[in-house]
């Protein structure tokens, strides 16, 4: 229903440009090239970044991670807590990844420029991961290569081998075209807007939001033992995995201060 309403809205948004578009409304957000041809880039970006790739399970625990690709604490949380928990409990949790963190953006002649906490390579890594999410769309497809990159000694150089291992149908060339082009720039701007809109505002990363809420207690529980937290918060019939011991709690976790 929401998709139908969105397409109905898009029809009127781009009515003045429809003579330039040879694609039906149902295809307008299927690729960046079609979105540009139909002059609905901004609407499709908004739709993509706000769209909930969520389970039909209405009781699923919602987990949002605001992070940076080269932040040590972020990498540790994503690789050792979030990804393993998702592998075991993906039927009862939904994950939203927002790579941006403590970056700063400014508009320079209509194009967004970003300064990242750990330098240009982090901006590169953030954009790679944003592009993977956009191009692959399904978390079952994009989360494994993102985990692979974050778990590797060199995040950005791991793109090609991680794609080969988990999603060989997409090439590094295709991802880098997004990263280095207009699409990657706009995706990072959307992540900036989402991060800046956090309430309360983030003070460090990883910044974890559970069921739309962030506080010190939830953050601490998530970083210490996310698996146990998800099992505790899920109000439906708990999966068999929750009856086990779960993941070993981590020692005191590091963060990257804003």
């Amino acid at each position: 229903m929401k998709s139908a309403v969105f397409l109905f809205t898009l029809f009127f948004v781009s009515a003045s440009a429809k003579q330039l578009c040879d694609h039906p409304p149902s295809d307008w957000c299927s690729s960046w090239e079609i979105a540009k041809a139909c002059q609905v880039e901004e609407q499709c970006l908004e739709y993509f970044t706000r769209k909930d790739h969520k389970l039909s399970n209405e009781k699923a625990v919602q987990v949002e991670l605001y992070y940076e690709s080269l932040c040590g604490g972020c990498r540790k949380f994503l690789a050792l807590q979030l990804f393993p928990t998702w592998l075991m409990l993906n039927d009862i949790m939904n994950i939203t990844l927002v790579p941006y963190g403590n970056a700063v953006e400014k508009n320079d002649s209509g194009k967004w420029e970003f300064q990242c906490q750990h330098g240009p390579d982090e901006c590169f890594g953030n954009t790679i991961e944003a592009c993977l999410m956009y191009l692959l769309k399904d978390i079952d497809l994009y989360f494994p290569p993102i985990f692979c990159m974050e778990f590797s000694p060199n995040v950005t150089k791991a793109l090609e081998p991680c794609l080969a291992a988990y999603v060989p149908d997409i090439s590094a060339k295709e991802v880098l075209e997004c990263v280095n082009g207009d699409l990657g720039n706009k995706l990072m701007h959307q992540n900036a807007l989402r991060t800046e809109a956090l309430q309360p505002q983030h003070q460090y990363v990883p910044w974890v939001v559970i069921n739309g809420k962030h506080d010190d207690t939830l953050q601490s529980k998530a970083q210490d033992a996310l698996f146990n937290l998800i099992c505790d918060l899920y109000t439906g019939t708990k999966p068999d995995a929750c009856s086990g011991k779960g993941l070993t709690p981590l020692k005191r976790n590091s963060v990257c201060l804003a």
Side-chain angles (χ1 to χ4, degrees):
M1 176 61 73
K2 289 183 180 179
S3 295
V5 172
F6 170 73
L7 291 173
F8 183 76
T9 303
L10 270 186
F11 177 81
F12 288 97
V13 168
S14 62
S16 62
K18 63 182 179 181
Q19 70 273 16
L20 303 176
C21 179
D22 296 328
H23 304 276
S26 59
D27 290 344
W28 285 350
C29 292
S30 61
S31 76
W32 183 242
E33 289 72 21
I34 292 176
K36 290 182 71 174
C38 297
Q39 299 182 24
V40 290
E41 305 104 295
E42 294 299 329
Q43 291 77 20
C44 288
L45 275 170
E46 174 91 14
Y47 177 59
F48 171 75
T49 56
R50 298 296 178 183
K51 182 180 178 182
D52 293 325
H53 302 279
K54 294 179 179 176
L55 304 169
S56 57
N57 181 356
E58 62 182 18
K59 296 180 179 179
V61 180
Q62 312 300 321
V63 180
E64 301 169 43
L65 174 63
Y66 296 81
Y67 71 106
E68 301 167 341
S69 62
L70 299 190
C71 165
C74 299
R75 297 177 65 186
K76 182 179 180 182
F77 177 73
L78 188 150
L80 301 182
Q81 287 283 352
L82 186 60
F83 186 74
T85 297
W86 174 76
L87 286 178
M88 293 183 284
L89 299 178
N90 58 77
D91 287 340
I92 66 169
M93 65 185 298
N94 289 313
I95 293 174
T96 300
L97 301 174
V98 185
Y100 184 79
N102 299 327
V104 177
E105 70 170 359
K106 67 175 182 178
N107 193 308
D108 185 4
S109 302
K111 184 175 181 179
W112 294 100
E113 292 188 353
F114 304 95
Q115 183 175 2
C116 293
Q117 185 171 23
H118 300 94
D121 210 35
E122 180 167 81
C123 288
F124 186 45
N126 290 345
T127 313
I128 286 175
E129 295 182 9
C131 283
L132 282 173
M133 286 182 254
Y134 181 89
L135 295 171
L136 295 172
K137 293 180 172 58
D138 187 339
I139 192 169
D140 290 342
L141 297 177
Y142 65 69
F143 202 7
I146 288 176
F147 155 76
C148 177
M149 290 174 59
E150 293 295 335
F151 198 58
S152 299
N154 188 305
V155 173
T156 56
K157 289 185 178 179
L159 172 62
E160 192 162 355
C162 288
L163 289 179
Y166 289 103
V167 278
D169 290 341
I170 188 172
S171 68
K173 179 177 180 293
E174 185 177 355
V175 176
L176 293 177
E177 285 176 351
C178 167
V179 171
N180 296 318
D182 184 55
L183 174 56
N185 188 260
K186 291 182 181 295
L187 287 172
M188 290 312 301
H189 174 56
Q190 291 295 324
N191 282 355
L193 294 178
R194 295 189 72 171
T195 303
E196 291 163 4
L198 282 168
Q199 291 296 331
Q201 293 184 346
H202 85 286
Q203 301 169 14
Y204 51 81
V205 288
W207 188 262
V208 184
V209 178
I210 305 290
N211 288 336
K213 180 181 178 181
H214 174 93
D215 59 36
D216 291 343
T217 299
L218 282 173
Q219 177 79 25
S220 179
K221 288 182 177 179
Q223 286 196 262
D224 289 343
L226 180 65
F227 180 95
N228 295 339
L229 178 62
I230 300 302
C231 286
D232 290 344
L233 291 178
Y234 183 62
T235 59
T237 302
K238 298 187 189 298
D240 291 341
C242 285
S243 62
K245 294 182 179 180
L247 298 174
T248 302
L250 295 178
K251 295 180 180 179
R252 186 65 253 164
N253 293 281
S254 60
V255 297
C256 293
L257 296 173

